[in-house]
Amino acid sequence: MGTTTGTTTTDKRADDETAPEADAARETAGGTSTEPEDGGPAEGSGDLQETADDTQDDTQDDTGDDTGDAPETARPTGVAAGAGAVVAAGLGLASVTGTWLGTLMSERQKLVGQIGLQSGKVTDPIAAAYGTPWHATALVNGVFAVLAMIVAAVTLTQARTTWVRAVAWGGLVLGVLGLFIAAGMYLDLFASMPAIPKGAAPGA
């Protein structure tokens, strides 16, 4: 009986000594834990949620600004591309059918040739009355054809609308065709220059 009582007393004393250490350990663990005592959300989770919301709002604001600016930027480009396509088609058609400017230059060269014949500075009446005016018309048409191809090429690099690209391609094709016709006229590929038969006097 004495032995049992002494052992029980010793165990109780050891439990009393270890109890404060266990309580201190529980208090330390409870202070560093991120879990809420009443089952509510942790403070760290609230801060992360607020940061995510702010980031989402900023992203939406930036996206809204970009979306609002896009139509204003694209509208002038689309108008310019459409105008360029129409101009290219008009220039290409003018290079094929001829222009008032080409007719004016042809008449001027014809008048210069007549003056040269009367003054004795020009000895070839066919070249003065026909060849030089013909070549002047071809030169003007060739300039219009080159301009049509340049404008069409620039328009095709910027245009995204289907009808604009179609009109620009039409202007490019007409420009190439007009340049071919102008080169043939200037180099007398389609018809040779008329010539006076040898031994025949001019005006006979």
Side-chain angles (χ1 to χ4, degrees), residues 105-118 121-135 193-194 196:
M105 294 300 297
S106 176
E107 294 295 332
R108 183 181 182 278
Q109 291 297 325
K110 185 182 295 186
L111 179 60
V112 171
Q114 292 176 356
I115 295 173
L117 286 174
Q118 293 179 0
K121 294 181 179 179
V122 177
T123 58
D124 189 352
I126 295 179
Y130 173 77
T132 304
W134 179 260
H135 293 162
M193 184 72 65
I196 300 176

Side-chain angles (χ1 to χ4, degrees), residues 87-113:
V87 170
L91 290 173
L93 183 62
S95 68
V96 174
T97 60
T99 63
W100 174 81
L101 180 61
T103 303
L104 181 64
M105 294 300 297
S106 176
E107 294 295 332
R108 183 181 182 278
Q109 291 297 325
K110 185 182 295 186
L111 179 60
V112 171

Side-chain angles (χ1 to χ4, degrees), residues 15 47 57 101 140 162 177 183 188:
D15 293 338
D47 295 339
D57 293 339
L101 180 61
V140 174
T162 303
L177 182 60
D188 298 328

Side-chain angles (χ1 to χ4, degrees), residues 1-10:
M1 294 293 293
T3 305
T4 304
T5 303
T7 303
T8 303
T9 303
T10 303

